[in-house]
Coordinates of all heavy atoms in Angstrom, one line a residue:
M22 N -0.2 -12.3 -13.3 CA -0.6 -13.4 -12.3 C 0.7 -14.1 -12.0 O 1.5 -14.5 -12.8 CB -1.6 -14.3 -13.0 CG -2.0 -15.4 -12.1 SD -3.5 -16.2 -12.7 CE -2.7 -17.8 -13.2
K23 N 0.9 -14.3 -10.7 CA 2.1 -15.0 -10.2 C 1.7 -16.5 -10.1 O 0.8 -16.9 -9.4 CB 2.5 -14.5 -8.8 CG 3.8 -15.0 -8.3 CD 4.2 -14.3 -7.1 CE 5.5 -14.8 -6.6 NZ 6.0 -14.1 -5.4
L24 N 2.5 -17.4 -10.8 CA 2.3 -18.8 -10.8 C 3.1 -19.5 -9.7 O 4.3 -19.1 -9.5 CB 2.6 -19.4 -12.1 CG 1.7 -18.9 -13.3 CD1 2.2 -19.4 -14.6 CD2 0.3 -19.3 -13.1
P25 N 2.6 -20.5 -9.1 CA 3.4 -21.2 -8.1 C 4.5 -22.0 -8.7 O 4.4 -22.4 -9.9 CB 2.4 -22.2 -7.4 CG 1.3 -22.4 -8.4 CD 1.3 -21.1 -9.2
R26 N 5.6 -22.3 -8.0 CA 6.7 -23.1 -8.5 C 6.6 -24.4 -7.8 O 6.3 -24.6 -6.6 CB 8.0 -22.4 -8.1 CG 8.2 -21.1 -8.9 CD 9.6 -20.6 -8.8 NE 9.8 -19.5 -9.7 CZ 10.3 -19.6 -10.9 NH1 10.7 -20.7 -11.4 NH2 10.5 -18.5 -11.6
V27 N 6.9 -25.4 -8.7 CA 6.9 -26.8 -8.2 C 8.2 -27.4 -8.7 O 8.8 -26.9 -9.7 CB 5.7 -27.6 -8.7 CG1 4.4 -27.1 -8.1 CG2 5.6 -27.6 -10.2
R28 N 8.7 -28.5 -8.2 CA 9.9 -29.2 -8.6 C 9.6 -30.1 -9.8 O 8.6 -30.8 -9.8 CB 10.5 -30.0 -7.5 CG 11.0 -29.2 -6.4 CD 12.4 -29.7 -6.0 NE 13.0 -28.8 -5.0 CZ 13.8 -27.8 -5.3 NH1 14.2 -27.6 -6.5 NH2 14.3 -27.1 -4.4
C29 N 10.3 -29.9 -10.9 CA 10.2 -30.7 -12.1 C 10.6 -32.2 -11.7 O 11.6 -32.4 -11.0 CB 11.1 -30.3 -13.2 SG 11.1 -31.3 -14.6
T30 N 9.8 -33.1 -12.1 CA 10.0 -34.5 -11.7 C 11.2 -35.1 -12.4 O 11.8 -36.1 -11.9 CB 8.8 -35.4 -12.0 OG1 8.4 -35.3 -13.4 CG2 7.6 -34.9 -11.2
T31 N 11.7 -34.5 -13.5 CA 12.8 -35.0 -14.2 C 14.1 -34.3 -13.8 O 15.1 -35.0 -13.4 CB 12.6 -34.8 -15.7 OG1 11.4 -35.4 -16.1 CG2 13.7 -35.4 -16.5
C32 N 14.2 -33.0 -13.8 CA 15.4 -32.3 -13.6 C 15.5 -31.7 -12.1 O 16.5 -31.2 -11.7 CB 15.6 -31.2 -14.6 SG 14.5 -29.8 -14.5
E33 N 14.4 -31.8 -11.4 CA 14.4 -31.3 -10.0 C 14.5 -29.8 -9.8 O 14.8 -29.4 -8.7 CB 15.4 -32.1 -9.1 CG 15.2 -33.6 -9.0 CD 13.9 -33.9 -8.3 OE1 13.6 -33.3 -7.3 OE2 13.2 -34.8 -8.7
R34 N 14.4 -29.0 -10.9 CA 14.5 -27.6 -10.7 C 13.2 -27.0 -10.4 O 12.1 -27.6 -10.8 CB 15.0 -27.0 -12.0 CG 16.4 -27.3 -12.3 CD 17.0 -26.7 -13.6 NE 16.1 -25.8 -14.3 CZ 16.3 -25.6 -15.6 NH1 17.2 -26.2 -16.3 NH2 15.5 -24.8 -16.3
P35 N 13.1 -25.9 -9.6 CA 11.8 -25.3 -9.4 C 11.3 -24.5 -10.6 O 12.0 -23.6 -11.1 CB 12.1 -24.3 -8.2 CG 13.6 -24.0 -8.3 CD 14.2 -25.2 -8.9
I36 N 10.2 -24.9 -11.2 CA 9.6 -24.4 -12.4 C 8.2 -24.0 -12.1 O 7.5 -24.6 -11.3 CB 9.6 -25.5 -13.5 CG1 11.0 -26.1 -13.7 CG2 9.1 -24.9 -14.8 CD1 12.0 -25.1 -14.2
C37 N 7.7 -22.9 -12.7 CA 6.3 -22.5 -12.5 C 5.4 -23.4 -13.2 O 5.7 -24.1 -14.1 CB 6.1 -21.0 -13.0 SG 6.3 -20.8 -14.8
A38 N 4.2 -23.5 -12.6 CA 3.2 -24.4 -13.1 C 1.8 -23.7 -13.2 O 1.4 -23.0 -12.3 CB 3.0 -25.6 -12.2
G39 N 1.2 -23.7 -14.4 CA 0.0 -23.1 -14.6 C -1.2 -24.0 -14.3 O -1.1 -25.2 -14.4
P40 N -2.3 -23.4 -13.9 CA -3.5 -24.2 -13.6 C -4.0 -25.0 -14.8 O -3.9 -24.6 -15.9 CB -4.5 -23.2 -13.1 CG -4.1 -21.9 -13.7 CD -2.6 -22.0 -13.9
V41 N -4.6 -26.1 -14.5 CA -5.3 -27.0 -15.5 C -6.8 -26.8 -15.4 O -7.3 -26.8 -14.3 CB -4.9 -28.5 -15.3 CG1 -5.7 -29.4 -16.2 CG2 -3.4 -28.7 -15.5
A42 N -7.4 -26.5 -16.5 CA -8.9 -26.3 -16.5 C -9.6 -27.5 -15.9 O -9.3 -28.7 -16.2 CB -9.4 -26.1 -17.9
G43 N -10.5 -27.3 -15.0 CA -11.4 -28.4 -14.4 C -10.8 -29.0 -13.2 O -11.4 -29.8 -12.6
S44 N -9.6 -28.6 -12.8 CA -9.0 -29.2 -11.6 C -8.2 -28.1 -10.8 O -7.2 -27.7 -11.3 CB -8.1 -30.4 -11.9 OG -7.5 -30.9 -10.8
L45 N -8.7 -27.7 -9.7 CA -8.0 -26.7 -8.9 C -6.7 -27.1 -8.3 O -5.9 -26.3 -8.0 CB -9.0 -26.1 -7.8 CG -10.2 -25.5 -8.3 CD1 -11.1 -25.1 -7.1 CD2 -9.9 -24.3 -9.1
S46 N -6.6 -28.4 -8.1 CA -5.4 -28.9 -7.4 C -4.3 -29.4 -8.3 O -3.2 -29.8 -7.9 CB -5.7 -30.0 -6.4 OG -6.2 -31.1 -7.1
K47 N -4.5 -29.3 -9.6 CA -3.5 -29.8 -10.6 C -3.0 -28.6 -11.5 O -3.7 -27.7 -11.7 CB -4.2 -30.8 -11.6 CG -4.7 -32.1 -10.9 CD -3.6 -32.9 -10.4 CE -4.2 -34.2 -9.8 NZ -3.2 -35.1 -9.3
G48 N -1.8 -28.8 -11.9 CA -1.1 -27.8 -12.7 C -0.2 -28.4 -13.8 O 0.2 -29.6 -13.6
R49 N 0.1 -27.7 -14.8 CA 1.0 -28.2 -15.9 C 2.3 -27.4 -15.8 O 2.3 -26.2 -15.8 CB 0.3 -27.9 -17.2 CG 1.1 -28.6 -18.4 CD 0.4 -28.4 -19.7 NE -0.9 -29.0 -19.7 CZ -1.2 -30.3 -20.0 NH1 -0.2 -31.1 -20.2 NH2 -2.4 -30.7 -20.0
I50 N 3.4 -28.1 -15.7 CA 4.7 -27.5 -15.6 C 5.0 -26.8 -16.9 O 4.8 -27.4 -18.0 CB 5.8 -28.6 -15.3 CG1 5.6 -29.2 -13.9 CG2 7.2 -28.0 -15.4 CD1 6.6 -30.3 -13.5
C51 N 5.5 -25.6 -16.8 CA 5.8 -24.8 -18.0 C 7.0 -25.4 -18.7 O 7.8 -26.0 -18.1 CB 6.1 -23.4 -17.6 SG 4.7 -22.5 -17.0
R52 N 7.0 -25.2 -20.0 CA 8.1 -25.7 -20.8 C 9.4 -25.1 -20.4 O 9.5 -23.9 -20.2 CB 7.8 -25.4 -22.3 CG 8.8 -26.1 -23.2 CD 8.4 -25.9 -24.7 NE 7.1 -26.5 -25.0 CZ 7.0 -27.7 -25.5 NH1 8.0 -28.4 -25.8 NH2 5.8 -28.1 -25.8
H53 N 10.4 -25.9 -20.3 CA 11.8 -25.4 -19.9 C 12.8 -26.3 -20.4 O 12.6 -27.5 -20.8 CB 11.9 -25.3 -18.3 CG 11.7 -26.7 -17.6 ND1 10.5 -27.2 -17.5 CD2 12.6 -27.5 -17.1 CE1 10.6 -28.4 -16.8 NE2 11.9 -28.6 -16.6
D54 N 14.0 -25.8 -20.5 CA 15.2 -26.6 -21.1 C 15.8 -27.4 -20.0 O 15.8 -27.0 -18.8 CB 16.2 -25.6 -21.6 CG 15.7 -24.8 -22.8 OD1 14.8 -25.2 -23.5 OD2 16.1 -23.6 -22.9
A55 N 16.3 -28.6 -20.4 CA 16.9 -29.4 -19.4 C 18.3 -28.8 -19.0 O 18.9 -28.1 -19.8 CB 17.2 -30.8 -20.1
P56 N 18.7 -28.9 -17.8 CA 20.0 -28.3 -17.4 C 21.1 -28.9 -18.2 O 21.2 -30.1 -18.4 CB 20.1 -28.7 -15.9 CG 19.1 -29.8 -15.6 CD 18.1 -29.7 -16.7
G57 N 21.9 -28.0 -18.7 CA 23.1 -28.5 -19.5 C 22.7 -28.9 -20.9 O 23.5 -29.6 -21.6
A58 N 21.4 -28.7 -21.3 CA 21.0 -29.1 -22.7 C 21.7 -28.4 -23.8 O 21.9 -27.2 -23.6 CB 19.5 -29.0 -22.8
R59 N 22.0 -29.1 -24.8 CA 22.6 -28.4 -26.0 C 21.5 -28.2 -27.0 O 20.5 -28.9 -27.0 CB 23.7 -29.4 -26.6 CG 24.8 -29.7 -25.6 CD 25.8 -28.6 -25.6 NE 27.0 -29.0 -24.8 CZ 27.4 -28.2 -23.9 NH1 26.9 -27.1 -23.6 NH2 28.5 -28.6 -23.2
R60 N 21.8 -27.3 -27.9 CA 20.9 -27.1 -29.0 C 20.9 -28.2 -30.0 O 21.9 -28.9 -30.1 CB 21.2 -25.8 -29.7 CG 20.9 -24.6 -28.8 CD 21.1 -23.3 -29.6 NE 20.8 -22.1 -28.8 CZ 19.7 -21.5 -28.8 NH1 18.7 -21.8 -29.6 NH2 19.5 -20.4 -28.0
D61 N 19.8 -28.5 -30.6 CA 19.7 -29.5 -31.6 C 20.6 -29.1 -32.8 O 21.0 -28.0 -32.9 CB 18.2 -29.7 -32.0 CG 18.0 -31.0 -32.6 OD1 18.8 -31.9 -32.6 OD2 16.8 -31.2 -33.1
S62 N 20.8 -30.0 -33.7 CA 21.7 -29.7 -34.9 C 21.2 -28.5 -35.7 O 21.9 -27.8 -36.3 CB 21.9 -30.9 -35.8 OG 20.6 -31.4 -36.2
D63 N 19.8 -28.3 -35.7 CA 19.3 -27.2 -36.5 C 19.2 -25.9 -35.6 O 18.7 -24.9 -36.1 CB 17.9 -27.5 -37.0 CG 16.9 -27.8 -36.0 OD1 17.2 -27.9 -34.8 OD2 15.7 -27.9 -36.3
G64 N 19.7 -26.0 -34.4 CA 19.7 -24.8 -33.6 C 18.6 -24.6 -32.6 O 18.6 -23.7 -31.8
S65 N 17.6 -25.5 -32.6 CA 16.5 -25.4 -31.7 C 16.8 -26.0 -30.3 O 17.6 -27.0 -30.3 CB 15.2 -26.0 -32.3 OG 15.5 -27.4 -32.5
L66 N 16.3 -25.5 -29.3 CA 16.5 -26.0 -27.9 C 15.7 -27.3 -27.7 O 14.6 -27.4 -28.3 CB 16.1 -25.0 -26.9 CG 17.1 -23.8 -26.7 CD1 16.5 -22.8 -25.8 CD2 18.4 -24.2 -26.2
I67 N 16.2 -28.1 -26.9 CA 15.5 -29.4 -26.6 C 14.9 -29.2 -25.2 O 15.7 -28.9 -24.2 CB 16.5 -30.6 -26.6 CG1 17.1 -30.7 -28.0 CG2 15.8 -31.8 -26.2 CD1 18.2 -31.7 -28.1
S68 N 13.6 -29.3 -25.0 CA 12.9 -29.2 -23.7 C 13.2 -30.4 -22.8 O 13.5 -31.5 -23.3 CB 11.4 -29.0 -23.9 OG 11.2 -27.9 -24.6
C69 N 13.1 -30.1 -21.5 CA 13.2 -31.1 -20.5 C 12.1 -32.1 -20.7 O 11.0 -31.7 -21.1 CB 13.2 -30.5 -19.1 SG 13.3 -31.7 -17.8
R70 N 12.3 -33.4 -20.4 CA 11.2 -34.4 -20.5 C 10.1 -34.1 -19.5 O 9.0 -34.6 -19.7 CB 11.8 -35.8 -20.3 CG 12.7 -36.3 -21.4 CD 13.2 -37.6 -21.2 NE 13.9 -37.6 -19.9 CZ 14.4 -38.7 -19.3 NH1 14.2 -39.8 -19.8 NH2 15.0 -38.5 -18.1
G71 N 10.4 -33.4 -18.5 CA 9.3 -33.0 -17.5 C 8.4 -31.9 -17.9 O 7.5 -31.6 -17.2
S72 N 8.8 -31.2 -19.0 CA 8.0 -30.1 -19.5 C 6.6 -30.5 -19.8 O 6.4 -31.6 -20.4 CB 8.6 -29.4 -20.7 OG 9.8 -28.8 -20.4
L73 N 5.6 -29.7 -19.5 CA 4.2 -29.9 -19.7 C 3.6 -31.1 -19.0 O 2.5 -31.5 -19.3 CB 3.9 -30.0 -21.2 CG 4.4 -28.9 -22.1 CD1 4.1 -29.1 -23.6 CD2 3.8 -27.6 -21.7
E74 N 4.3 -31.6 -18.0 CA 3.7 -32.7 -17.2 C 2.7 -32.1 -16.2 O 2.9 -31.0 -15.7 CB 4.9 -33.4 -16.4 CG 4.5 -34.6 -15.7 CD 5.7 -35.3 -15.1 OE1 6.7 -35.5 -15.9 OE2 5.7 -35.6 -13.9
I75 N 1.7 -32.9 -15.9 CA 0.7 -32.5 -15.0 C 1.1 -32.9 -13.6 O 1.4 -34.1 -13.4 CB -0.7 -33.0 -15.3 CG1 -1.2 -32.4 -16.7 CG2 -1.7 -32.7 -14.3 CD1 -2.5 -32.9 -17.2
V76 N 1.1 -32.0 -12.6 CA 1.5 -32.3 -11.2 C 0.5 -31.7 -10.3 O -0.4 -30.9 -10.6 CB 2.9 -31.7 -11.0 CG1 4.0 -32.3 -11.8 CG2 2.9 -30.2 -11.2
D77 N 0.6 -32.1 -9.0 CA -0.2 -31.5 -7.9 C 0.4 -30.1 -7.6 O 1.6 -29.9 -7.4 CB -0.2 -32.3 -6.7 CG -0.9 -33.7 -6.9 OD1 -1.9 -33.7 -7.6 OD2 -0.5 -34.7 -6.3
L78 N -0.5 -29.1 -7.5 CA -0.1 -27.8 -7.1 C 0.0 -27.7 -5.6 O -0.8 -28.3 -4.9 CB -1.1 -26.7 -7.6 CG -1.1 -26.5 -9.1 CD1 -2.2 -25.5 -9.5 CD2 0.3 -26.0 -9.6
P79 N 0.9 -26.8 -5.1 CA 0.9 -26.6 -3.6 C -0.4 -25.9 -3.2 O -0.9 -25.0 -3.9 CB 2.1 -25.8 -3.4 CG 2.4 -25.2 -4.7 CD 1.9 -26.1 -5.8
M80 N -1.0 -26.4 -2.1 CA -2.3 -25.8 -1.7 C -2.0 -24.4 -1.0 O -1.0 -24.3 -0.3 CB -2.9 -26.7 -0.6 CG -3.3 -28.1 -1.2 SD -4.4 -27.9 -2.7 CE -5.9 -27.3 -1.9
P81 N -2.8 -23.5 -1.3 CA -2.6 -22.1 -0.7 C -2.8 -22.2 0.8 O -3.6 -23.0 1.3 CB -3.7 -21.3 -1.4 CG -4.7 -22.2 -1.9 CD -4.0 -23.5 -2.1
D82 N -2.2 -21.3 1.4 CA -2.3 -21.2 2.9 C -3.8 -20.8 3.2 O -4.4 -20.1 2.5 CB -1.4 -20.2 3.5 CG 0.1 -20.6 3.3 OD1 0.3 -21.9 3.3 OD2 1.0 -19.8 3.2
Q83 N -4.2 -21.3 4.3 CA -5.6 -20.9 4.8 C -5.5 -19.6 5.6 O -4.5 -19.3 6.2 CB -6.2 -22.0 5.7 CG -6.4 -23.3 4.9 CD -7.0 -24.4 5.8 OE1 -7.1 -24.2 7.0 NE2 -7.5 -25.4 5.2
Q84 N -6.6 -18.9 5.5 CA -6.6 -17.6 6.2 C -6.8 -17.9 7.7 O -7.6 -18.7 8.0 CB -7.8 -16.7 5.7 CG -7.8 -15.4 6.3 CD -8.8 -14.5 5.7 OE1 -9.4 -14.8 4.6 NE2 -9.1 -13.4 6.3
L85 N -6.0 -17.2 8.4 CA -6.1 -17.3 9.9 C -7.4 -16.7 10.4 O -7.7 -15.5 10.0 CB -4.9 -16.7 10.5 CG -4.7 -16.8 12.0 CD1 -4.6 -18.3 12.4 CD2 -3.5 -16.1 12.5
E86 N -8.1 -17.4 11.2 CA -9.3 -16.9 11.8 C -9.2 -16.7 13.3 O -8.5 -17.5 13.9 CB -10.5 -17.8 11.5 CG -10.8 -18.0 10.0 CD -11.9 -18.9 9.7 OE1 -12.7 -19.3 10.7 OE2 -12.1 -19.3 8.6
F87 N -9.8 -15.6 13.8 CA -9.7 -15.3 15.2 C -11.1 -15.4 15.8 O -12.1 -15.0 15.2 CB -9.2 -13.9 15.4 CG -7.8 -13.7 15.0 CD1 -7.5 -13.1 13.8 CD2 -6.8 -14.1 15.8 CE1 -6.2 -12.9 13.4 CE2 -5.4 -13.9 15.5 CZ -5.1 -13.3 14.3
D88 N -11.2 -15.9 17.0 CA -12.4 -15.9 17.8 C -12.5 -14.6 18.5 O -11.8 -14.3 19.4 CB -12.5 -17.1 18.8 CG -13.2 -18.3 18.3 OD1 -14.0 -18.1 17.3 OD2 -13.1 -19.3 18.9
V89 N -13.4 -13.8 18.1 CA -13.6 -12.5 18.7 C -15.0 -12.4 19.3 O -16.0 -12.6 18.6 CB -13.4 -11.3 17.7 CG1 -13.6 -10.0 18.3 CG2 -12.0 -11.4 17.0
D90 N -15.1 -12.0 20.6 CA -16.4 -11.8 21.2 C -17.0 -10.5 20.7 O -16.3 -9.5 20.8 CB -16.3 -11.9 22.7 CG -15.8 -13.2 23.2 OD1 -16.1 -14.2 22.6 OD2 -15.1 -13.2 24.3
E91 N -18.2 -10.6 20.2 CA -18.8 -9.4 19.8 C -19.4 -8.7 21.0 O -20.0 -9.3 21.9 CB -19.9 -9.7 18.8 CG -19.4 -10.2 17.4 CD -20.5 -10.4 16.4 OE1 -21.5 -9.7 16.5 OE2 -20.2 -11.2 15.5
P92 N -19.3 -7.3 21.1 CA -19.8 -6.6 22.2 C -21.3 -6.7 22.2 O -22.0 -6.5 21.2 CB -19.3 -5.2 22.0 CG -19.0 -5.1 20.6 CD -18.6 -6.5 20.1
Q93 N -21.9 -7.0 23.4 CA -23.3 -7.0 23.5 C -23.8 -5.6 23.9 O -23.2 -5.0 24.8 CB -23.7 -8.0 24.6 CG -23.3 -9.4 24.3 CD -24.0 -10.0 23.1 OE1 -25.1 -9.7 22.8 NE2 -23.3 -10.8 22.3
P94 N -24.9 -5.2 23.3 CA -25.5 -3.9 23.7 C -26.0 -3.9 25.2 O -26.5 -4.9 25.6 CB -26.6 -3.6 22.7 CG -27.0 -5.0 22.2 CD -25.7 -5.8 22.3
E95 N -25.8 -2.8 25.9 CA -26.2 -2.8 27.3 C -27.7 -2.7 27.3 O -28.4 -2.1 26.4 CB -25.6 -1.6 28.0 CG -24.1 -1.8 28.1 CD -23.4 -0.6 28.9 OE1 -24.2 0.0 29.7 OE2 -22.2 -0.4 28.7
A96 N -28.3 -3.2 28.4 CA -29.8 -3.2 28.5 C -30.3 -1.8 28.7 O -31.5 -1.6 28.3 CB -30.2 -4.0 29.8
D97 N -29.6 -0.8 29.2 CA -30.1 0.5 29.4 C -30.3 1.3 28.1 O -31.1 2.1 27.9 CB -29.1 1.3 30.2 CG -29.0 0.8 31.7 OD1 -29.8 -0.1 32.0 OD2 -28.0 1.2 32.4
E98 N -29.5 0.9 27.1 CA -29.5 1.6 25.8 C -30.7 1.1 25.0 O -31.0 -0.1 24.9 CB -28.3 1.4 25.0 CG -27.0 2.0 25.6 CD -25.8 1.7 24.7 OE1 -26.0 1.3 23.6 OE2 -24.7 1.7 25.3
A99 N -31.5 2.0 24.6 CA -32.7 1.7 23.7 C -32.2 1.7 22.3 O -31.4 2.5 21.9 CB -33.8 2.7 23.9
A100 N -32.7 0.8 21.5 CA -32.3 0.7 20.1 C -32.9 1.9 19.4 O -34.0 2.3 19.6 CB -32.9 -0.6 19.5
P101 N -32.1 2.6 18.5 CA -32.6 3.8 17.9 C -33.8 3.4 16.9 O -33.8 2.3 16.3 CB -31.4 4.2 17.1 CG -30.5 3.1 17.0 CD -30.8 2.2 18.1
A102 N -34.8 4.2 16.9 CA -35.9 4.0 16.0 C -35.5 4.3 14.6 O -34.9 5.3 14.3 CB -37.1 4.9 16.4
L103 N -35.9 3.3 13.7 CA -35.6 3.5 12.3 C -36.7 4.3 11.6 O -36.4 5.0 10.7 CB -35.4 2.1 11.6 CG -34.3 1.3 12.1 CD1 -34.3 -0.1 11.5 CD2 -33.0 2.0 11.9
F104 N -37.9 4.2 12.1 CA -39.0 4.9 11.4 C -39.8 5.7 12.5 O -40.0 5.1 13.6 CB -40.0 3.9 10.7 CG -39.3 3.1 9.7 CD1 -38.9 1.8 9.9 CD2 -39.0 3.7 8.4 CE1 -38.3 1.1 8.9 CE2 -38.4 3.0 7.4 CZ -38.0 1.7 7.7
M105 N -40.1 6.9 12.2 CA -40.9 7.7 13.2 C -42.4 7.5 12.8 O -42.7 7.6 11.6 CB -40.5 9.1 13.1 CG -39.0 9.4 13.5 SD -38.8 9.0 15.2 CE -38.5 10.6 15.8
I106 N -43.2 7.3 13.8 CA -44.6 7.2 13.5 C -45.3 8.5 14.0 O -45.1 9.1 14.9 CB -45.2 6.0 14.2 CG1 -44.6 4.8 13.7 CG2 -46.7 6.0 14.0 CD1 -45.0 3.5 14.3

């Protein structure tokens, strides 16, 4: 599944955001490292403060609809019989 990218409110980098249960328009920013972050003294990475923040997801594009005139059957043509009596 391809997740939409949103700008992190802290580091301003484009990060993917997963959907939040119960809200179609909200998403949670995936965990990511702050730009230029150093590892902690024990060697673990330090996440950006914007990680796991809930943000508005970009709305998907709407499908383009066309107005198409449906052809009308001509009066001379008889409708085919579905059942023979």
Side-chain angles (χ1 to χ4, degrees):
M22 180 166 107
K23 188 173 182 179
L24 297 174
R26 291 192 174 265
V27 295
R28 292 229 174 259
C29 174
T30 56
T31 304
C32 67
E33 296 294 321
R34 291 181 4 204
I36 307 294
C37 64
V41 174
S44 180
L45 296 175
S46 64
K47 299 288 183 184
R49 187 176 302 276
I50 294 179
C51 292
R52 187 175 297 264
H53 61 283
D54 300 328
R59 301 276 187 233
R60 291 186 181 262
D61 203 6
S62 59
D63 64 351
S65 58
L66 286 172
I67 301 173
S68 295
C69 177
R70 290 180 302 175
S72 292
L73 304 179
E74 188 173 310
I75 295 178
V76 295
D77 291 327
L78 290 177
M80 296 304 290
D82 294 333
Q83 293 181 352
Q84 183 172 350
L85 186 60
E86 295 180 14
F87 294 100
D88 260 344
V89 178
D90 294 331
E91 292 185 25
Q93 298 295 325
E95 293 184 25
D97 296 345
E98 295 178 18
L103 297 176
F104 300 102
M105 299 294 250
I106 299 179

